[in-house]
């Protein structure tokens, strides 16, 4: 890319949609306000595009990544198939471990700590405040949180000192199964500019039409998330009392080991839950088959 194009990217104004457009920026600005993102927000073509973008922008050959396990399966494949193949070292830490366990794995070449909250699928809730303080002791670190299971309405990781907040907007933010999209929100402009450069180069910019639809969905996000959360809490409480349920994983339940942390950093507890049935995998598989295309009354 020649200097003319580079200068164009760095200057205000619009001249080519992949480099930026007013419709996409209008939507990004709303998400940035919801996130408390002083650095701004970038919109991508999918959640996977956001995950790939943040890893490819800030990790280089010879770097070390500390990553929570489990995380979204697509993110695991990016780490295993792309990052490790490009000489990036990875250390996995169980999602139920404390921040101290993550800190013990940090090396001089560690450049990123990557976590999810709530965690997919264990529904673990890492303490965002504790992870936000990691960079105070390790200034080379960038902390990244995938908050897709919570949404930009339910929690704001940047307010706890996290550097980058990531979401698949295909899920709660879009909410209507009519687009795929992702977003990255930044604590400062330097991180934003670095990621924006890679966004343009990789062609991951969200289209104006999809940004318009996403902007529409943001108007109903609060009421949708409140109802998602109240409905799921009712389901989780029902399952917790069911004799054929072994365990229920939902941060809104007092029995959840991270319930106190969840209350501190989440407005609501979201619509995601998981549970284990008595009888293990075989019984669980039968339950899934029975539930297909059926509405079950739990009242």
């Amino acid at each position: 890319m020649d200097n003319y194009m580079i200068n164009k990217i760095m200057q205000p104004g619009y001249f080519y949609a992949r480099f930026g457009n007013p419709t996409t920026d209008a939507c990004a600005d709303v998400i940035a306000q919801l996130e408390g993102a002083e650095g701004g927000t970038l919109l991508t073509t999918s959640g996977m595009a956001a995950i790939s973008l943040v890893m490819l922008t800030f990790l280089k050959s010879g770097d070390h990544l500390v990553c929570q396990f489990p995380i979204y399966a697509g993110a695991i494949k990016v780490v295993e198939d792309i990052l490790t193949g490009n000489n990036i070292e990875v250390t996995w830490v169980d999602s139920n471990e404390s921040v101290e366990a993550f800190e013990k794995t940090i090396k001089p070449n560690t450049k990123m700590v990557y976590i999810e909250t709530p965690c997919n699928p264990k529904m673990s809730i890492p303490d965002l405040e504790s992870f936000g303080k990691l960079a105070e002791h390790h200034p080379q670190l960038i902390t990244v949180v995938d908050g897709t299971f919570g949404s930009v309405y339910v929690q704001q990781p940047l307010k706890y000192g996290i550097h980058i907040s990531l979401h698949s907007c295909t899920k709660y933010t879009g909410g209507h199964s009519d687009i795929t999209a992702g977003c990255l929100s930044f604590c400062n402009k330097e991180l934003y500019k670095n990621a924006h450069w890679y966004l343009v180069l990789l062609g991951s910019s969200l289209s104006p039409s999809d940004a318009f639809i996403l902007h529409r969905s943001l108007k109903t996000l609060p009421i949708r998330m409140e109802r998602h959360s109240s409905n799921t809490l009712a389901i989780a409480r029902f399952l917790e009392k069911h004799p054929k349920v072994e365990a229920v994983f939902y941060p809104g339940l007092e029995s959840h080991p991270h319930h106190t942390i969840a209350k501190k950093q989440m407005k609501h507890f979201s619509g995601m839950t998981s549970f284990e049935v008595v009888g293990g995998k075989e019984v669980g598989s039968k339950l899934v088959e029975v539930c297909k295309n059926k509405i079950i009354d739990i009242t």
Side-chain angles (χ1 to χ4, degrees):
M1 185 175 292
D2 59 28
N3 289 333
Y4 171 78
M5 294 291 279
I6 294 173
N7 290 333
K8 274 287 187 182
I9 297 172
M10 299 304 177
Q11 291 174 5
Y14 305 106
F15 77 105
Y16 192 66
R18 178 164 57 90
F19 294 76
N21 66 84
T23 303
T24 302
D25 283 355
C27 180
D29 287 345
V30 174
I31 293 177
Q33 291 178 48
L34 289 170
E35 291 266 49
E38 295 183 7
T41 294
L42 292 174
L43 300 183
T44 63
T45 53
S46 67
M48 279 305 303
I51 292 168
S52 302
L53 181 66
V54 78
M55 291 183 175
L56 294 176
T57 299
F58 298 105
L59 293 170
K60 303 293 185 291
S61 177
D63 289 345
H64 175 231
L65 165 68
V66 177
C67 196
Q68 171 189 293
F69 187 87
I71 54 174
Y72 176 57
I76 292 175
K77 296 305 291 182
V78 171
V79 173
E80 292 182 342
D81 293 359
I82 297 177
L83 297 190
T84 57
N86 285 276
N87 195 35
I88 295 170
E89 183 185 0
V90 180
T91 300
W92 299 96
V93 181
D94 188 271
S95 63
N96 286 317
E97 292 286 355
S98 67
V99 68
E100 288 78 16
F102 283 77
E103 188 166 22
K104 286 178 181 178
T105 69
I106 293 174
K107 307 176 182 182
N109 64 329
T110 306
K111 295 299 172 63
M112 182 181 291
V113 173
Y114 184 101
I115 61 174
E116 287 181 353
T117 184
C119 163
N120 179 0
K122 286 186 174 182
M123 301 304 297
S124 307
I125 308 292
D127 188 333
L128 292 177
E129 186 174 10
S130 297
F131 278 91
K133 292 178 179 178
L134 272 181
E136 295 179 7
H137 308 113
H138 308 277
Q140 82 278 14
L141 281 183
I142 294 174
T143 49
V144 180
V145 170
D146 182 341
T148 298
F149 267 23
S151 86
V152 298
Y153 174 71
V154 164
Q155 59 191 10
Q156 290 78 42
L158 301 184
K159 294 181 180 180
Y160 295 93
I162 299 297
H163 294 105
I164 302 173
S165 175
L166 180 158
H167 291 266
S168 171
C169 298
T170 310
K171 296 6 181 241
Y172 285 136
T173 313
H176 296 79
S177 300
D178 50 8
I179 58 167
T180 59
C183 69
L184 292 167
S185 297
F186 302 87
C187 68
N188 62 56
K189 280 293 183 183
E190 182 180 359
L191 293 175
Y192 173 94
K193 288 179 180 178
N194 289 338
H196 181 249
W197 176 241
Y198 273 71
L199 177 79
V200 171
L201 291 179
L202 296 173
S204 301
S205 308
L206 190 65
S207 71
S209 57
D210 283 343
F212 175 82
I213 295 172
L214 184 60
H215 199 172
R216 167 217 64 186
S217 298
L218 287 166
K219 298 173 183 178
T220 60
L221 182 61
I223 193 169
R224 287 191 285 109
M225 291 311 304
E226 290 166 12
R227 185 58 60 86
H228 282 316
S229 299
S230 62
N231 287 346
T232 307
L233 180 58
I235 292 170
R237 284 176 172 163
F238 166 81
L239 291 171
E240 194 174 38
K241 296 176 182 178
H242 200 288
K244 293 185 179 180
V245 173
E246 188 79 34
V248 183
F249 308 101
Y250 185 67
L253 294 174
E254 290 78 4
S255 59
H256 191 284
H258 303 149
H259 178 65
T260 301
I261 297 173
K263 285 199 301 182
K264 178 180 69 172
Q265 63 194 36
M266 301 177 76
K267 293 178 184 176
H268 303 281
F269 301 111
S270 90
M272 302 303 298
T273 185
S274 59
F275 63 98
E276 296 176 355
V277 295
V278 175
K281 183 178 179 181
E282 182 180 352
V283 175
S285 297
K286 289 181 180 179
L287 176 62
V288 171
E289 292 300 321
V290 169
C291 289
K292 282 185 177 178
N293 302 317
K294 290 186 179 181
I295 297 175
I296 299 175
D297 185 358
I298 68 166
T299 59

